[in-house]
Amino acid sequence: MVSAISIALSLLIVLHAGLGSIAALDRTTVIRVLEEGHDFRARVRAARALGSSGDASMAEHLVRALADENSAVRAAAAEGLGRLANPSTLVALRRSTHDPEREVRDAAERAIRAMSASATTTAPTGPATPAPSRRLPVIAVLPPAQAIDWARTSYVVVLGSLVNHSGFAHAPLEAVLRQEVNRSLIVLRGVAVLSAADPRADADRQIAARHLPQYRLEGTISHVRPETRGRDLQVRCEVSLVLMDEPSRNIRAALNGAATGTEPLTSARATRERALAEQALQSATRSAMSGAARAITTSSHH
């Protein structure tokens, strides 16, 4: 049974300006994958991304990941803590030096050594070094088809056409839509995600042998509307997704979401419109995908 992710996403989300708001979206997604991702490979990637973020506040999530059921995730979390060099995590790292798995113990010991070396390094004099960006590196959280754990798979979702029909010309929007749909699906327990463009021979054999229900998810960016409200620039985005039987394409559920990004109006309006459109699209897609788990399980019972 697929379990819904208990994350409240309103149908209208107002985002604030600046890099910090984009980074917050990135951090939230990666943290979700680390804490709730079904595939351990996705959790490993998420742990590495948090460790590379330069944001010491991410250490608490990596400390929790030291207790992950998979040793590769625990090792990646220990390595990440070494890179973040937050002294408050030393106690947790010392506990991990007694982990049952050698790779985890070694990673924890390296992290402790790296932290000790960092503490004894004299900071250079001169102008302060700017704080690193808190925007996390983009990570590929969708494992390739050959890496799917078929023994733990209960449903298969094939990602089909995901396109921008809004009339708002910004090429990256379709990639943002696909990425957010991927990220929302990867944390659903028991769901294997395939791309319609991937080779399917091995997957089709697994699906047939295991009698797995198979669905197709397609969607559009139906509406992107910039407008000025007083001294603010706003961009509203609406997304429509459809869950269908595969291969018959009978419609099973419609998933819709909307969000609005807003920030103070500046002279660089065109640039900011595109940035706000991406932010609003991320939130609109998450809003729509919040109903995906229920739609998949309900469809399988009919």
Side-chain angles (χ1 to χ4, degrees):
M1 179 70 68
V2 177
S3 59
I5 303 169
S6 56
I7 295 177
L9 291 172
S10 64
L11 290 181
L12 182 63
I13 302 174
V14 179
L15 303 171
H16 295 288
L19 181 61
S21 61
I22 302 174
L25 291 172
D26 289 345
R27 289 197 300 274
T28 299
T29 298
V30 178
I31 291 166
R32 284 173 62 198
V33 172
L34 177 62
E35 296 182 348
E36 302 178 48
H38 167 57
D39 192 288
F40 81 90
R41 300 166 187 85
R43 302 200 302 276
V44 167
R45 295 185 188 103
R48 289 172 178 166
L50 292 181
S52 300
S53 69
D55 184 352
S57 68
M58 295 297 101
E60 63 179 290
H61 305 288
L62 291 175
V63 167
R64 285 198 290 272
L66 291 175
D68 192 278
E69 65 181 18
N70 187 278
S71 61
V73 179
R74 300 198 299 273
E79 291 169 1
L81 289 171
R83 288 192 293 273
L84 292 180
N86 186 332
S88 67
T89 65
L90 275 171
V91 172
L93 282 169
R94 290 190 181 111
R95 283 199 300 267
S96 290
T97 61
H98 302 288
D99 191 278
E101 298 297 330
R102 176 67 178 271
E103 64 175 325
V104 181
R105 297 196 299 271
D106 289 348
E109 289 167 359
R110 288 194 300 270
I112 292 170
R113 288 197 298 270
M115 210 173 293
S116 300
S118 175
T120 58
T121 301
T122 303
T125 58
T129 303
S133 166
R134 287 191 169 191
R135 183 176 176 87
L136 294 178
V138 174
I139 60 170
V141 296
L142 185 63
Q146 63 268 26
I148 291 172
D149 185 353
W150 290 104
R152 299 175 65 184
T153 296
S154 302
Y155 311 91
V156 174
V157 177
V158 178
L159 290 186
S161 173
L162 295 166
V163 295
N164 180 11
H165 286 166
S166 69
F168 183 87
H170 184 44
L173 287 182
E174 290 185 1
V176 171
L177 175 61
R178 184 167 292 273
Q179 175 177 280
E180 290 306 319
V181 170
N182 281 344
R183 286 176 168 176
S184 295
L185 287 171
I186 196 66
V187 294
L188 297 183
R189 192 169 300 277
V191 174
V193 187
L194 301 174
S195 170
D198 288 343
R200 291 286 306 276
D202 180 64
D204 286 341
R205 283 194 295 271
Q206 293 284 353
I207 292 167
R210 299 173 186 278
H211 306 287
L212 296 173
Q214 186 177 183
Y215 305 100
R216 187 180 186 92
L217 186 65
E218 296 191 346
T220 62
I221 305 168
S222 55
H223 185 87
V224 178
R225 184 180 66 199
E227 62 181 359
T228 303
R229 292 289 183 91
R231 296 183 178 181
D232 290 337
L233 172 64
Q234 292 187 350
V235 179
R236 179 175 174 80
C237 181
E238 297 176 7
V239 172
S240 299
L241 302 170
V242 178
L243 183 73
M244 301 174 283
D245 290 325
E246 178 73 356
S248 66
R249 309 291 176 88
N250 294 320
I251 295 177
R252 287 293 188 174
L255 305 170
N256 301 305
T260 299
T262 185
E263 66 175 39
L265 188 62
T266 67
S267 57
R269 174 165 179 158
T271 300
R272 299 313 306 157
E273 280 184 359
R274 291 191 290 270
L276 284 174
E278 291 185 27
Q279 292 179 31
L281 176 57
Q282 286 178 313
S283 293
T285 306
R286 292 173 191 176
S287 169
M289 291 299 294
S290 66
R294 181 178 178 83
I296 292 168
T297 55
T298 300
S299 296
S300 70
H301 296 150
H302 289 80

